[in-house]
């Protein structure tokens, strides 16, 4: 048995003081990253969270049965381990432990085989056979420089320190996934690209859908796609423990509806949706700014299911049993159609699923001999359609007998996804569409994406660059902007 997890940190239900240098509204990874950055600079910081359990997109709960721990939103964290900010923190000393499955990703096919991704690039290229050389050509030039690439791209638009490298990479990132697919001939390589590109929540005809595929592929071969032991909540607990070691304070169960609800402070940072920023700030922000913020476009939603299982998923392809993430969708064409349907307001009969099975590799997630899994698919924004049958049929397609081992399920429609995290407007977990029009103008400005017309108010959520993911970089850069105002 593994060593016991650290107990959760002690949290307050009301502020201890009447004044702080900085207040952060929202305790997601970005809010906590902002608070830590401010505390590292010697500022007194208060984080205020509406929910009883902090963490935003990095929370874990017993959603089905006692003893079955499920990740409410994020589960696998390629950007969590690769984040330049998180890598600068001693989070392992504060209870965070990463687990790497034998394989980070598998993609099953109808013939009973599966593409099983390898962290080692040479092994991956060998498994792709005829497309191995092409895949190596795509990944190898950038893999040694990935830390540098993340340091220069996970943030606001700015002059690069290595312009030739980023221009060369940028030319590929701005392609569409459909164009990227043309480099490959095998169903395996094309399906790999399709599954990775689907994380962009964009139709594969749109530019930049290839960019997400390439960056996720690079992380896969660099630091991997790990899961945190004990669930994503452990990332939040480690961040809070470290923040508290710096003197920061976290208050939960306190919903902020107006600036009048806050103690006095020099600056306020919002780890919220832009809509919540407008509602809370009220007349403190000019109407011209709020009108621009209201034009932020939101994309497809997610429909998510968590399962308590009586055993491991009975995959036909053996490689799926050693992989923490499984992409379920068949061919590139099938995946493309599923993503196109969600974008165009249609529910797919054969939805593409992103599935994780953490209990295969983490014995803290379920009682002995039992297991957990979660999966989601993309659906039209705010859809009310029940996707349970369609999703479970997709899993049965590659794991016959799956339904027989279900003990209980927890279903989240888009409205439930938003209820769990108010930043996920209409069930959109990306903080707004991540296409070229909104990649750096999130929510309205290229030059000052974290600032508002009010000198004390800043936005630090995933609706600012570099966007979604458990990486804390939105909060880090917003805190840097706020520090410049002191």
């Amino acid at each position: 048995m593994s060593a016991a997890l650290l107990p959760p940190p002690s949290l307050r239900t009301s502020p201890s003081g009447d004044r702080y240098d900085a207040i952060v509204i929202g305790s997601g990874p970005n809010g906590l990253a902002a608070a830590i950055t401010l505390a590292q600079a010697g500022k007194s910081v208060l984080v205020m969270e509406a929910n009883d359990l902090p963490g935003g997109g990095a929370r874990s709960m017993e959603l089905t049965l006692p003893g079955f721990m499920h990740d409410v939103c994020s589960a696998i964290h390629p950007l969590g381990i690769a984040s330049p900010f998180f890598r600068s923190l001693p989070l392992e000393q504060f209870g965070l432990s990463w687990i790497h499955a034998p394989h980070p990703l598998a993609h099953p096919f109808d013939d009973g085989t599966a593409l099983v991704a390898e962290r080692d690039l040479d092994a991956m290229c060998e498994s792709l056979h005829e497309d191995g050389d092409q895949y190596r050509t795509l990944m190898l030039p950038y893999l040694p420089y990935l830390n540098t690439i993340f340091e220069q791209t996970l943030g606001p638009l700015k002059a690069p320190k290595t312009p030739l490298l980023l221009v060369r990479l940028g030319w590929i990132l701005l392609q569409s996934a459909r164009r990227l697919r043309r480099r490959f001939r095998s169903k395996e390589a094309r399906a790999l690209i399709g599954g990775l590109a689907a994380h962009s929540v964009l139709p594969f005809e749109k530019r930049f859908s290839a960019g997400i595929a390439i960056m996720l592929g690079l992380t896969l071969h660099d630091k991997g796609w790990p899961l945190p032991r004990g669930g994503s909540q452990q990332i939040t607990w480690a961040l809070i423990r470290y923040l508290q070691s710096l003197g920061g304070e976290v208050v939960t169960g306190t919903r902020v509806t107006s600036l009048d609800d806050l103690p006095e402070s020099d600056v306020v940072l919002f780890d919220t949706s832009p809509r919540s920023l407008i509602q809370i700030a009220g007349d403190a922000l000019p109407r011209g700014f709020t009108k621009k913020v209201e034009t932020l476009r939101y994309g497809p939603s997610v429909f998510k299911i968590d399962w308590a299982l009586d055993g491991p998923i009975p995959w036909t392809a053996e490689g799926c049993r050693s992989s923490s993430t499984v992409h379920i969708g068949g061919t590139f064409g099938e995946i493309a159609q599923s993503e196109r349907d969600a974008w165009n307001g249609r529910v797919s009969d054969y939805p593409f699923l992103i599935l994780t099975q953490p209990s295969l590799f983490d014995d803290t997630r379920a009682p002995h001999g039992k297991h957990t899994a979660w999966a989601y698919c993309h659906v039209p924004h705010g859809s009310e359609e029940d996707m349970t049958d369609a999703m479970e049929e997709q899993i049965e397609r590659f794991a016959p007998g799956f339904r027989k081992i279900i003990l209980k399920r927890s279903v989240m429609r888009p409205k439930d996804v938003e209820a769990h995290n108010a930043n996920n407007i209409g069930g959109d977990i990306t903080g707004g569409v991540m296409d070229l029009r909104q990649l750096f103008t999130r929510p309205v400005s290229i030059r000052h994406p974290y600032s508002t017309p009010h000198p004390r108010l800043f936005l630090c959520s995933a609706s600012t660059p570099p966007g979604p993911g458990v990486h804390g970089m939105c909060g880090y850069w917003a805190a840097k902007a706020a520090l410049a105002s002191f």
Side-chain angles (χ1 to χ4, degrees):
M1 291 292 291
S2 303
L5 298 170
L6 293 179
S10 298
L11 304 173
R12 301 185 61 87
T13 56
S14 61
S16 65
D18 298 323
R19 192 188 190 288
Y20 298 84
D21 293 327
I23 293 175
V24 179
I25 301 175
S27 66
N30 285 312
L32 294 174
I36 288 171
T37 303
L38 291 160
Q40 287 175 326
K43 305 301 180 184
S44 59
V45 183
L46 169 67
V47 178
M48 301 187 71
E49 169 57 47
N51 294 301
D52 292 332
L53 185 67
R59 287 181 294 164
S60 306
M61 302 172 67
E62 292 181 335
L63 297 174
T64 56
L65 296 171
F68 290 81
M69 187 59 65
H70 304 275
D71 292 321
V72 178
C73 185
S74 61
I76 305 298
H77 297 277
L79 292 181
I81 197 170
S83 163
F85 180 65
F86 285 175
R87 284 191 290 109
S88 74
L89 306 180
L91 296 182
E92 287 77 9
Q93 298 176 28
F94 289 85
L96 179 60
S97 176
W98 293 113
I99 295 174
H100 290 272
H103 298 102
L105 173 67
H107 190 121
F109 299 101
D110 289 309
D111 61 3
T113 65
L115 170 70
V116 180
E118 304 280 356
R119 279 187 66 185
D120 180 78
L121 181 60
D122 289 336
M124 184 73 192
C125 293
E126 185 176 344
S127 70
L128 289 173
H129 303 297
E130 61 180 329
D131 284 316
D133 289 342
Q134 185 60 243
Y135 188 81
R136 189 190 309 277
T137 300
L138 182 64
M139 296 290 172
L140 187 57
Y142 311 106
L143 199 54
Y145 309 103
L146 194 56
N147 285 345
T148 298
I149 290 169
F150 277 135
E151 288 167 2
Q152 297 181 72
T153 59
L154 288 182
L157 190 64
K158 55 186 182 296
K161 296 179 181 178
T162 55
L164 293 180
L165 174 68
L166 290 191
V167 167
R168 183 182 177 188
L169 175 62
W171 179 253
I172 302 174
L173 297 183
L174 294 179
Q175 293 180 14
S176 70
R178 185 166 294 280
R179 180 174 180 179
L180 182 63
R181 179 208 60 176
R182 296 173 190 162
R183 289 174 172 247
F184 303 101
R185 293 178 289 177
S186 67
K187 70 175 183 181
E188 290 82 6
R190 289 185 168 189
L192 172 65
I193 295 300
L196 295 174
H199 288 256
S200 71
V201 204
L202 293 172
F204 290 177
E205 296 78 19
K206 276 191 170 288
R207 293 171 69 87
F208 191 61
S209 55
I212 298 298
I214 293 168
M215 294 305 290
L216 285 176
L218 287 169
T219 60
L220 188 152
H221 299 302
D222 182 54
K223 294 178 175 61
W225 288 14
L227 54 135
R229 183 170 179 271
S232 295
Q233 188 69 47
Q234 299 304 317
I235 299 175
T236 297
W237 290 149
L239 289 168
I240 290 177
R241 291 187 191 101
Y242 180 58
L243 173 62
Q244 291 175 335
S245 77
L246 299 173
E249 188 174 317
V250 178
V251 169
T252 59
T254 304
R255 186 172 298 278
V256 177
T257 60
S258 164
L259 293 177
D260 294 335
D261 297 336
L262 303 176
E264 184 180 347
S265 69
D266 292 318
V267 296
V268 181
L269 290 86
F270 291 74
D271 183 14
T272 69
S273 71
R275 291 184 187 179
S276 293
L277 163 66
I278 292 171
Q279 292 167 358
I280 295 170
D283 295 337
L285 293 173
R287 182 58 184 157
F289 175 78
T290 62
K291 281 186 175 180
K292 289 182 180 179
V293 169
E294 288 167 352
T295 65
L296 181 70
R297 294 172 296 119
Y298 291 93
S301 307
V302 300
F303 187 103
K304 176 175 176 282
I305 307 178
D306 290 273
W307 294 276
L309 303 174
D310 197 31
I313 297 176
W315 302 106
T316 300
E318 187 66 30
C320 294
R321 304 178 188 215
S322 61
S323 302
S324 50
T325 299
V326 183
H327 284 169
I328 302 174
T331 66
F332 179 97
E334 289 180 86
I335 302 169
Q337 185 61 54
S338 174
E339 298 307 297
R340 190 183 305 115
D341 284 344
W343 183 266
N344 291 331
R346 296 190 298 268
V347 171
S348 175
D349 293 330
Y350 304 98
F352 169 72
L353 311 185
I354 299 170
L355 180 145
T356 71
Q357 42 189 5
S359 60
L360 288 178
F361 317 102
D362 181 358
D363 61 10
T364 70
R365 304 296 187 99
H368 180 69
K370 311 300 180 182
H371 286 278
T372 62
W374 74 237
Y376 71 80
C377 68
H378 298 136
V379 295
H381 185 83
S383 172
E384 294 285 343
E385 190 80 17
D386 188 346
M387 299 297 292
T388 304
D389 285 344
M391 290 177 64
E392 291 183 355
E393 285 173 9
Q394 281 285 73
I395 300 174
E396 283 275 344
R397 174 181 169 187
F398 303 104
F402 170 70
R403 280 197 174 104
K404 293 179 181 179
I405 64 170
I406 297 174
L407 299 174
K408 193 171 183 179
R409 64 174 66 82
S410 169
V411 173
M412 288 189 192
R413 292 174 171 83
K415 66 180 180 181
D416 303 313
V417 173
E418 182 175 355
H420 273 275
N421 186 346
N423 289 9
N424 298 330
I425 301 296
D428 176 357
I429 63 173
T430 63
V433 173
M434 283 285 290
D435 61 4
L436 289 183
R437 286 174 56 193
Q438 291 191 164
L439 186 57
F440 293 105
T441 57
R442 296 166 67 86
V444 296
S445 172
I446 293 178
R447 293 186 61 195
H448 306 290
Y450 315 100
S451 302
T452 73
H454 194 294
R456 292 180 54 241
L457 306 182
F458 298 83
L459 186 65
C460 66
S461 69
S463 292
T464 62
V470 177
H471 47 64
M473 297 303 295
C474 307
Y476 167 79
W477 288 110
K480 289 293 187 183
L483 284 169
S485 70
F486 279 90

